[in-house]
Amino acid sequence: MGLGSTAKKIQKVADVADEVYTKVNELKTQLQDLRQTVEATNNRVDEFDHELTEQRALVEALAEQQGLDPESVIEAADIGTEETDDAEAPEQSD
């Protein structure tokens, strides 16, 4: 085996290593972006949860001022979760 052949193989390995290094850096950047997005989304969800809690307290206070029991109103409205609705919904046939 000549030195030229060895040099070509070494160059090919170096090129592949460079491509892998570039791809790893791209993936690292994507992961950092994803972490930032998840953190921002988590913060928004926390804000929505806090606002929803405040709104619920206000609505319950208003209901009680009107002489209504909030829990009985919710029960009478038959409000369920999407999962419950999906599980109880009859299957449609085509």
Side-chain angles (χ1 to χ4, degrees), residues 28-90:
K28 183 179 174 182
T29 301
Q30 289 175 358
L31 181 59
Q32 288 171 342
D33 292 345
L34 181 61
R35 283 181 179 162
Q36 290 174 351
T37 301
V38 168
E39 187 175 318
T41 302
N42 188 39
N43 290 339
R44 277 187 251 141
V45 167
D46 288 345
E47 289 173 12
F48 288 146
D49 187 47
H50 180 73
E51 288 177 15
L52 182 61
T53 300
E54 289 176 345
Q55 290 175 4
R56 182 179 179 108
L58 289 171
V59 169
E60 286 179 355
L62 290 171
E64 288 173 2
Q65 279 183 347
Q66 298 298 317
L68 301 171
D69 177 30
E71 294 302 320
S72 64
V73 172
I74 291 171
E75 289 175 12
D78 193 31
I79 299 172
T81 63
E82 287 183 27
E83 293 172 9
T84 303
D85 292 344
D86 290 342
E88 295 175 2

